[in-house]
């Protein structure tokens, strides 16, 4: 499922040849999607793609998505989804919550 999210994000940017690298488990219930090359994305595309694909997973009820800056691993963009809240998307764009992800 996570590789599919990565692949669809690449396709949305017009890249049909770059690879989604193997998914890494970085902590309990935390995974990292890495890509062969850097690319730019539209935040709403990321939200819509992850939401649509993870809606098919019964275990993905609540989750946080973080986009890390290349080179320094600071959070460039993040949001959380919670199916138990009316306003379930809580976005962070730009400079908010710039913390290293360990």
């Amino acid at each position: 499922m996570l590789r599919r999210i990565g692949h669809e994000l690449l396709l949305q940017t017009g890249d049909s040849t770059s690879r989604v690298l193997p998914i890494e488990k970085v902590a309990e219930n935390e995974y990292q999607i890495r890509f062969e090359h850097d690319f730019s994305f539209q935040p709403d595309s990321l939200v819509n793609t992850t939401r649509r694909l993870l809606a098919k997973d019964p275990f993905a009820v609540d989750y946080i998505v973080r986009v890390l800056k290349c080179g320094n691993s600071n959070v460039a963009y993040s949001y959380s989804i919670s199916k138990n809240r009316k306003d379930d998307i809580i976005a962070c764009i730009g400079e908010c919550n710039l913390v290293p992800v360990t």
Side-chain angles (χ1 to χ4, degrees), residues 11-75:
L11 290 176
Q12 290 169 10
T13 66
D15 185 346
S16 62
T17 59
S18 293
R19 295 182 310 135
V20 176
L21 299 176
I23 303 300
E24 294 180 35
K25 184 173 183 174
V26 294
E28 185 66 30
N29 296 318
E30 186 174 338
Y31 299 88
Q32 184 174 31
I33 303 172
R34 294 184 25 203
F35 301 90
E36 183 176 24
H37 303 289
D38 295 348
F39 69 97
S40 297
F41 68 97
Q42 295 296 323
D44 59 335
S45 294
L46 173 65
V47 171
N48 292 335
T49 300
T50 55
R51 200 172 202 187
R52 178 174 45 82
L53 293 174
L54 291 178
K56 299 173 185 177
D57 184 342
F59 298 107
V61 176
D62 299 321
Y63 56 91
I64 298 171
V65 175
R66 292 184 192 103
V67 176
L68 305 179
K69 291 183 180 181
C70 295
N72 64 14
S73 295
N74 284 341
V75 177

Side-chain angles (χ1 to χ4, degrees), residues 52-101:
R52 178 174 45 82
L53 293 174
L54 291 178
K56 299 173 185 177
D57 184 342
F59 298 107
V61 176
D62 299 321
Y63 56 91
I64 298 171
V65 175
R66 292 184 192 103
V67 176
L68 305 179
K69 291 183 180 181
C70 295
N72 64 14
S73 295
N74 284 341
V75 177
Y77 175 79
S78 68
Y79 67 94
S80 66
I81 297 289
S82 174
K83 293 192 179 186
N84 296 325
R85 292 178 48 119
K86 183 178 177 184
D87 298 324
D88 64 346
I89 297 179
I90 303 167
C92 172
I93 302 172
E95 293 296 317
C96 59
N97 293 333
L98 290 180
V99 294
V101 176

